[in-house]
Amino acid sequence: DAKTTQPNSMESNEEEPVHLPCNHSTISGTDYIHWYRQLPSQGPEYVIHGLTSNVNNRMASLAIAEDRKSSTLILHRATLRDAAVYYCILRDYGGSQGNLIFGKGTKLSVKP
Amino acid sequence: DAGVIQSPRHEVTEMGQEVTLRCKPISGHDYLFWYRQTMMRGLELLIYFNNNVPIDDSGMPEDRFSAKMPNASFSTLKIQPSEPRDSAVYFCASSSSRGAPLGSYNEQFFGPGTRLTVL
């Protein structure tokens, strides 16, 4: 799976939007972009994923650049509960169901 | 649904002892994964099963580690003998292949983890 690059940490104020960037310049045409997050003392949880088009769900939005070399996870109104480590992961749809390769992720802090 | 269940939540043992971690996946899921998380190495996949069959165990660190899935609702990860460097949080996750659009993946659901301390 291709590698992703994320900032180590970001800060946000409560109830403000947060844009978490991810660079994946070596992405292949068959790679899906997945985001997971890990709240303190919990297991990771799925957030969202996409291939080419922007995606929205109840948790977040995923904006994918036209050349697919970068993407941005958008939390529309950060809450204290959104403080977590966010992981951007590429998964080749030609591969298997396994092998989520977690990098170091971005640690998001939310200030009240 | 109760989600993925892991036991015990915390385990403290002495070097050389056998440790068994347990996982009950979400009912109906056909994939089960074991991950390990440490400060140094982050989250890493150890092994995963499909329909109770081990598919990829290349992440298992050494022969002291073994994993089994005797049926669709239960899996174990065993360390024998345990060493202090095995101290970590071990996560079990499950997913279903049903309903995933062609070429896509269904999400993995993680358990709360087992925090293992080997003294």
Side-chain angles (χ1 to χ4, degrees):
Chain A
D1 292 309
K3 187 180 164 119
T4 63
T5 305
Q6 300 177 253
N8 289 333
S9 62
M10 291 184 64
E11 276 191 355
S12 172
N13 294 317
E14 196 176 12
E15 299 194 3
E16 289 186 356
V18 181
H19 290 232
L20 296 162
C22 181
N23 286 321
H24 28 79
S25 57
T26 59
I27 191 171
S28 74
T30 54
D31 282 331
Y32 277 77
I33 302 159
H34 287 245
W35 285 81
Y36 279 72
R37 72 178 184 180
Q38 187 173 19
L39 303 173
S41 301
Q42 293 188 27
E45 65 176 347
Y46 168 83
V47 178
I48 199 167
H49 79 281
L51 183 61
T52 56
S53 305
N54 294 344
V55 184
N56 300 297
N57 66 20
R58 63 174 179 81
M59 289 181 70
S61 295
L62 176 61
I64 301 172
E66 205 167 316
D67 64 4
R68 301 208 328 123
K69 294 186 176 182
S70 66
S71 60
T72 302
L73 180 70
I74 302 166
L75 307 179
H76 295 285
R77 288 183 66 206
T79 68
L80 297 178
R81 195 193 173 276
D82 291 322
V85 178
Y86 287 79
Y87 298 97
C88 171
I89 302 166
L90 299 184
R91 300 183 75 190
D92 182 357
Y93 81 66
S96 67
Q97 279 268 341
N99 222 21
L100 273 177
I101 300 176
F102 289 84
K104 295 191 185 303
T106 296
K107 184 173 183 179
L108 175 66
S109 302
V110 181
K111 295 184 290 184
Chain B
D1 196 326
V4 175
I5 299 172
Q6 292 187 247
S7 65
R9 293 293 310 276
H10 301 271
E11 177 81 33
V12 180
T13 190
E14 293 189 347
M15 183 174 63
Q17 296 298 305
E18 178 180 297
V19 175
T20 299
L21 311 181
R22 297 172 176 80
C23 175
K24 177 178 169 55
I26 292 173
S27 176
H29 282 190
D30 52 346
Y31 281 85
L32 183 138
F33 310 84
W34 282 100
Y35 291 85
R36 177 173 69 174
Q37 185 171 35
T38 62
M39 290 294 292
M40 291 291 292
R41 300 174 65 90
L43 264 164
E44 50 185 351
L45 177 71
L46 299 178
I47 185 172
Y48 78 94
F49 296 82
N50 177 218
N51 292 322
N52 314 335
V53 177
I55 302 300
D56 184 355
D57 65 354
S58 59
M60 296 285 263
E62 48 197 275
D63 292 345
R64 297 184 298 105
F65 286 69
S66 63
K68 293 182 180 178
M69 192 164 186
N71 57 61
S73 58
F74 184 66
S75 177
T76 59
L77 178 67
K78 186 176 293 186
I79 309 172
Q80 166 64 15
S82 58
E83 297 182 3
R85 60 191 166 124
D86 301 331
S87 297
V89 180
Y90 291 80
F91 290 103
C92 176
S94 70
S95 71
S96 170
S97 60
R98 283 193 302 274
L102 181 64
S104 182
Y105 298 97
N106 285 334
E107 62 189 280
Q108 292 186 16
F109 293 83
F110 284 75
T114 295
R115 181 173 295 278
L116 173 64
T117 303
V118 183
L119 303 174

